[in-house]
């Protein structure tokens, strides 16, 4: 991706995030910018210069409400993507896509889904204060999610050891139905709704960049939010952003080595 293309992608993502923010405000849904987007907001007052995506977190209850509301409330040039709106999409977090664009990731390139420029919306789930129960939730979810991703993600996009591991997993999960694996994950995650607001910690069970337990935060991280400057707009960020970023990245104000300053998406096709 050229610098010009990345800038255009970022502009489109801001446009999507503005509409997402509008829907959340209209229906009193809470969210926070997350992960690299949160670093960008704090350290750069916008995108990390080499970043090419936007992530947000929402507690499961608000996430489920968004799933019901967004497909009807988003403007016609945007598409709310979940398995319920795009049958070949099996990720357990959702995306909001910009129609008329193509940002086709190699991991998903073999599926007939909407491949537009997107933002990621991650559900955050309450976890029990009982260590055994929280670990049991985590292990069950990861077991089914591992099978789901092994069956779903494009094998040709994998290389080296990762490709061999996926090939082994595909054999181990050969007799598992992908729809059943998806349903099992959703059931386990939604069990946590009854705990929401009453436990000490919450977790991103769908973490892409860590083992999930690393994205475990204190519940008060999702109680209070404030607007933060992001490029020429303003979006919600958790009051507890410092603790969250230190947990995930350590010294997040320190720039990474030059060789690590690159976009993370491997694209098969880009059309803007």
């Amino acid at each position: 991706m050229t610098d010009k293309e990345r800038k255009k992608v970022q502009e489109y993502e801001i446009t999507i995030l503005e509409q997402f923010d509008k829907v959340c405000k209209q229906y009193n849904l809470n969210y926070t910018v997350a992960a690299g987007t949160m670093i960008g907001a704090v350290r750069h007052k916008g995108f990390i210069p080499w970043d090419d995506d936007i992530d947000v977190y929402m507690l499961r209850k608000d996430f489920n409400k968004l799933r019901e509301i967004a497909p009807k409330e988003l403007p016609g040039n945007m598409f709310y993507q979940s398995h319920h709106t795009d049958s070949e999409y099996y990720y357990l977090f959702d995306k909001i896509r910009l129609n008329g664009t193509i940002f086709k990731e190699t991991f998903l390139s073999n599926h007939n889904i909407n491949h537009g420029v997107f933002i990621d919306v991650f559900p955050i789930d309450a976890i029990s204060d009982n260590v055994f129960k929280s670990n049991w939730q985590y292990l069950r979810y990861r077991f089914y999610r591992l099978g789901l991703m092994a069956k779903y993600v494009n094998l040709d996009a994998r290389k080296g050891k990762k490709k061999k591991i996926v090939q082994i997993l595909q054999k181990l999960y050969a007799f598992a139905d992908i729809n059943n694996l998806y349903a099992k994950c959703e059931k386990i995650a939604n069990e946590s709704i009854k705990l929401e607001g009453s436990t000490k910690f919450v977790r991103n069970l769908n973490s892409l960049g860590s083992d999930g337990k690393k994205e475990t935060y204190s519940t008060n991280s999702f109680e209070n939010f404030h607007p933060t400057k992001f490029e020429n707009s303003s979006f919600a960020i958790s009051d507890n952003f410092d603790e969250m970023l230190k947990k995930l990245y350590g010294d997040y104000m320190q720039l990474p080595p030059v060789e690590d300053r690159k976009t993370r998406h491997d694209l098969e096709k880009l059309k803007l």
Side-chain angles (χ1 to χ4, degrees), residues 25-144:
K25 286 176 178 174
Q26 183 179 350
Y27 288 91
N28 297 313
L29 306 179
N30 290 319
Y31 76 92
T32 176
V33 292
T37 310
M38 185 181 277
I39 288 183
V42 175
R43 194 171 69 196
H44 303 276
K45 304 303 178 187
F47 281 99
I48 297 173
W50 53 90
D51 202 2
D52 63 352
D53 71 351
I54 284 178
D55 298 322
V56 297
Y57 288 154
M58 304 182 79
L59 289 177
R60 175 67 63 173
K61 193 177 292 184
D62 280 352
F63 176 81
N64 285 349
K65 289 178 182 176
L66 182 74
R67 277 185 163 178
E68 295 177 7
I69 294 164
K72 296 175 286 188
E73 293 292 342
L74 288 171
N77 65 335
M78 293 181 190
F79 176 68
Y80 190 86
Q81 186 174 52
S82 70
H83 178 55
H84 308 286
T85 62
D86 207 347
S87 61
E88 283 193 38
Y89 178 83
Y90 279 95
Y91 277 174
L92 293 153
F93 58 93
D94 295 350
K95 297 178 184 287
I96 301 176
R97 303 268 193 178
L98 185 64
N99 295 328
T101 64
I102 298 175
F103 190 89
K104 185 180 285 190
E105 302 169 274
T106 54
F107 281 169
L108 296 176
S109 62
N110 58 327
H111 297 293
N112 182 27
I113 61 173
N114 186 314
H115 288 285
V117 173
F118 63 86
I119 69 168
D120 286 323
V121 184
F122 286 94
I124 299 295
D125 293 297
I127 61 174
S128 174
D129 291 336
N130 180 293
V131 175
F132 173 80
K133 288 182 179 180
S134 65
N135 284 338
W136 181 233
Q137 176 207 41
Y138 173 78
L139 290 171
R140 284 188 301 148
Y141 191 89
R142 300 300 276 195
F143 172 79
Y144 291 116

